[in-house]
Amino acid sequence: MTTVTTPQPRPEPPAPRGTGDPFLSVRDLRVRFATEDGEVRAVDGLSFDLERGRTLGIVGESGSGKSVTNLAVLGLHDPRGTTVSGRVTLDGQELLGAPRKRLEKLRGAKMSMIFQDSLTALSPYYTVGRQIAEPYRKHTGASRHRARQRAVEMLGRVGIPQPQRRVDDFPHQFSGGMRQRAMIALALVCDPQLLIADEPTTALDVTVQAQILDLLKDLQRQTGTSIVFVTHDLGVVADVCDDVLVMYAGRCVETGTVRDILKTPEHPYSWGLLSSIPRLKAPVDVPLRPIPGSPPSLLDPPPGCPFHPRCAFRDEVAGDRCATERPQLLLTGARGSACHLDGDRKRAIFADRIRPALGRRPEAASPAAAGPEGPDADRTAEPEADRTVADEPAAEPEADQGEGNR
Amino acid sequence: MSGIAMTKAAPAGEPLLEAAGLAKHFPVLDGFLFKRRVGAVQAVDGVDFTVHAGESLGLVGESGCGKSTTGRLVTRLLEPTAGRLTYRGQDITHATRKQLAPVRTEIQMIFQDPYASLNPRRTVGEIVSGPLEIQGLLTPGARERRTRELLEIVGLNPEHYNRFPHEFSGGQRQRVGVARALSLEPKLIVADEPVSALDVSIQAQVVNLLQRLQREMGIAFLFIAHDLAVVRHFSQRVAVMYLGRIIEIGDRDAIYEHPRHPYTHALLSAVPEADPDDDGRERIRLAGDVPSPLNPPSGCRFRTRCWKAQDKCATDEPPLVRLDGDAEGHLTACHFPQEPTVADRGHDVVLDPALAALEGTEPPREPA
Amino acid sequence: MLRFLVRRVLAAVVILVLISAVTYVLFFALPIDPAQLSCGKSCTPQNIALIHRNLGLDKPVPVQWWDYVSGVFTGRHLPLGNCPAPCLGLSFTNDTPIWSTLMDRFPTTLSLGVGGAAIFLTVGVGLGLLSAWRQGRLTDRIASAVSLLGQSVQIYFIGPLAIFLFADRLGWLDAGHDPDWSSDPVGSLSGVILPCLVMSVIFWSNYSRQTRSLMIEQLSEEHVRTARAKGMGSAYVFFRYALRGAMGPIITIFGIDLGSILGGTVITESTFGLHGLGQLAVSAVLGTDLPMEMGVMLFGATAIVAFNILIDACYAFIDPRIRL
């Protein structure tokens, strides 16, 4: 990986799916914490792949295990009281159980992380420049002077004005958005091939969030970094991710491309998430449809499907299987969901009952055209067509056709 | 819904609360041995708005815009530095505690943090019946009946009367806060970021609850939030604040479909939508963060981040007025307003230097 | 920084003036008549009046206090003798200037205080760091036990024990004598080592426990996690990031402990038979030498206030968020 310093206006989009081996591969990851009240199963058998140059969004609410997963990938869990099992391979190298020294060589160099709250994630005691230069010196052996130059260069790249001067500032002298930019500069200083961004824009204002998201996307185009993007915001997912993994109670309940998850989700929890967020383009007279209840305790997760106590569709599964038998994540290619409802039933429920209430409007410019009937009538046919062709690439032309219809 | 709640509701549409030139400056003290005033954080600096009975007015803006301070001024948790605050024709700008007492029962507040705003040592029943007790209303027996009724209204089990806040989840705690606010049958509820601390799936539960209360009990809301989609969903009218001023106000359709102020455009453009087909919107990326309210820019406060700013913007402060072609009640404070549409018009506005460099575009300067 | 120092010194002067006023009132305006005390049992009213005049006690209390305070800066000519510039009065017992006695005794106390503090900071913070580094393991438990030992003993108990063991029995260390740094530095050092060690023991446990919990807290801070996430080694993260964060609070605790250190030296001095300020204060109280009591008290207060300013300056040096 080398730094491309010349601006590339609109580089090629990342390689299409299915080419090459996964760059990051997680298999049956389990993370457990021993607490006074018992064992918390924060991550319970999670598997996913991430290819080079792509962005995987991990979506979930607090306590779903999304942040814990990433700390496990980087090996940042405190070994006392934490049990991590499974396999995590980065570019063919096994990370779980790797010697500490080897992990330290990888962290910050080949894989790095951006945290949510840049005020607490940067040390208040050292200048921004020093904190950025430190890993560069360690991983590249650069001189103090060269590392400082690199810090200035990185600050400039992420859009800090007067980087030559600001490099000697302390984090508290930066505004929130600037600090998050400095955090990005710190994460990218050694040109990592894997970037884990844990809710990097949650603490920011919306206009600053838009700047930072675009910055991450533009930098990714330039460097080809793979990104794991953790968020609870489906809007952010739609904006930056190629693939999505929906987590609930430490498990993956659904995975697929961003289009799969946001356009034709198959898991009742994903439906619930989509139905509960208000949107700028949805009609306002349609009430939100929240998920009843609250997320389960990970100390004592419900038997069977962890979502079943909140699920409105468990009655549609024969024999109360939802409460007794844990649904497996069934994958067709990279698409799948963990739910006992069979495929046709899921698609029918989404098309008939969930999507009409989402109130999606096809075109923003002409609200008058967006009567409740027209677009929805069009769209109910979509998933059926979608499902006649099973694998991913075929889904794309279908969507294009959908746009052509409008 | 309880019968008594309905009887006191004011007729819809009548102005309930009026703010005129409302301002709050927090002094900044410094000095050698003796503290003296060296400046002021102009948290709110002259805002005008009216909340009508039964309506919801949304207040949006980014951090430091003064929306929360405005909420605290309205509930008179803070005393205004300047301006006038009228509640049903009564001037409460500088009203004393005693004068405020009857008004306080009619204006209630819901806070952002359901963890911090409930006393952990009191049961939910005590918390919800607290305002009734303080006001000396009802007999103890009637208070408890009323409290159980309130718990039921907000969707909590009345049997949980004797439980403590820590036994509830975040969403349930926010419901307790709502029940407490309802206990005195308020006419106006100031909700300061009521859902932003909650998980996505829980947010909708609370939004729906508040919406039901507004409709069924005719309670007016001043709904303060940074989430533009939530505000749009909840409020009939919306005011956009920037650095202590209202820069645009109007009904929902005016603000979200036909905004005129460049900042409103930038805000709307920045909201990520959970729809991969959601293009067709204009793309505006501002540079930098909001300036400090300690020393706000002269003239139009947005001019330092605005792509249409000219010399006039630095010298003349734009008045909040109705522009040609705008709907009734749609007021904008801008010398060089945008076209009234949020649709993409063929070119992005990218002011951020890093983005401009990476995307190979120069920050554009539109002619006025 | 200069602005901060000037401000703090001015504030300190105000505090000291207040302390002097309060102590003056306590010592000289209360029912005990110093003249009665210094005159003894067979005293005629004439004698008492004479002493009053000699001591300046016939004037109103505020005027007496003003004379006393201005004497600190200008010196005074008292009826009993001359009292040069930093004049804190003359001793009732031997009519010598208080200041010179203080200066005579101060090196002992300072040596004990500084030496003891150096030892307990090193040992206490060191044990705490060790515990935090090996958190939950055997080393942690042993370190905690050692520090706990310090908490459960008293100076007047381990003092004689240490003298018996290390000085009398093993002969490793000097049983303690007053230092004279200018003429005999080596002998001075060996003279204060044992007292310093004994005094430091009672402080160990507090510092090791505080350091341990501060370090564990710091190690779970997000900025420390960031340092690990960027690949810095464990020892680097531990010392450069976590310890850096823990230093401020440790120094704050040290500032609060200054008074206790002075108290510790008092007990240590009497245990080891050293002649420092503590011992001076004790004998002044026993001999009702009011000017001496007052002098020791003011001097101690000034020292503590001065050290506190120094500590605040250190704090600002450690934490860039604190602007002076």
Side-chain angles (χ1 to χ4, degrees), chain C residues 130-252:
Chain C
L130 196 66
S131 285
W133 178 255
R134 309 283 299 174
Q135 189 196 337
R137 314 223 187 135
L138 188 63
T139 326
D140 178 15
R141 268 171 272 159
I142 292 173
S144 300
V146 170
S147 77
L148 202 67
L149 210 68
Q151 195 182 23
S152 42
V153 295
Q154 297 293 338
I155 293 176
Y156 47 75
F157 169 70
I158 51 163
L161 196 72
I163 294 172
F164 170 74
L165 195 68
F166 296 109
D168 299 350
R169 214 43 198 277
L170 299 168
W172 292 352
L173 294 166
D174 197 297
H177 59 78
D178 291 318
D180 181 5
W181 294 102
S182 53
S183 61
D184 180 16
V186 180
S188 300
L189 187 67
S190 70
V192 294
I193 282 184
L194 196 60
C196 283
L197 269 174
V198 165
M199 193 193 90
S200 73
V201 171
I202 57 164
F203 291 95
W204 285 2
S205 64
N206 187 30
Y207 282 83
S208 74
R209 273 183 300 124
Q210 299 271 12
T211 304
R212 180 180 183 273
S213 64
L214 281 167
M215 284 301 286
I216 288 169
E217 186 189 310
Q218 283 293 321
L219 284 168
S220 65
E221 285 281 323
E222 287 191 28
H223 70 261
V224 173
R225 189 179 64 189
T226 307
R228 293 174 59 217
K230 63 188 188 185
M232 309 317 289
S234 322
Y236 190 91
V237 171
F238 189 84
F239 288 106
R240 292 300 178 88
Y241 281 84
L243 179 57
R244 184 72 196 256
M247 254 153 77
I250 292 174
I251 286 178
T252 306

Side-chain angles (χ1 to χ4, degrees), chain B residues 32-55:
Chain B
F32 198 76
L33 281 185
F34 297 101
K35 298 280 176 201
R36 69 197 145 80
R37 213 181 121 122
V38 293
V41 174
Q42 304 179 12
V44 177
D45 196 29
V47 297
D48 308 275
F49 62 87
T50 306
V51 185
H52 301 277
E55 80 161 347

Side-chain angles (χ1 to χ4, degrees), chain A residues 366-384:
Chain A
S366 53
E373 301 305 320
D376 282 334
D378 279 355
R379 280 153 171 269
T380 37
E382 269 179 36
E384 307 302 330

Side-chain angles (χ1 to χ4, degrees), chain A residues 47-68:
Chain A
S47 302
F48 65 85
D49 289 330
L50 173 63
E51 285 162 29
R52 283 178 196 277
R54 286 185 78 88
T55 302
L56 171 73
I58 300 186
V59 184
E61 299 179 89
S62 47
S64 62
K66 53 194 198 305
S67 295
V68 174

Side-chain angles (χ1 to χ4, degrees), chain A residues 208-267:
Chain A
V208 180
Q209 163 170 290
Q211 295 165 29
I212 300 286
L213 292 179
D214 284 8
L215 179 68
L216 279 172
K217 283 192 288 185
D218 287 346
L219 287 169
Q220 185 185 29
R221 275 201 207 99
Q222 203 183 55
T223 59
T225 307
S226 309
I227 299 180
V228 175
F229 200 105
V230 177
T231 181
H232 67 277
D233 187 332
L234 291 175
V236 171
V237 166
D239 195 16
V240 297
C241 300
D242 301 309
D243 307 296
V244 182
L245 185 148
V246 183
M247 281 189 82
Y248 189 78
R251 300 174 190 182
C252 170
V253 293
E254 182 165 12
T255 184
T257 63
V258 69
R259 179 161 284 279
D260 290 334
I261 302 296
L262 295 178
K263 287 299 213 184
T264 55
E266 291 183 347
H267 195 281

Side-chain angles (χ1 to χ4, degrees), chain A residues 62 181 205 218 259 291, chain B residues 63 199 205 277 285 352 359:
Chain A
S62 47
R181 283 168 194 264
D205 278 323
D218 287 346
R259 179 161 284 279
I291 305 173
Chain B
S63 53
D199 264 327
Q205 297 176 2
D277 290 336
R285 294 295 176 260
D352 190 302
E359 294 169 14

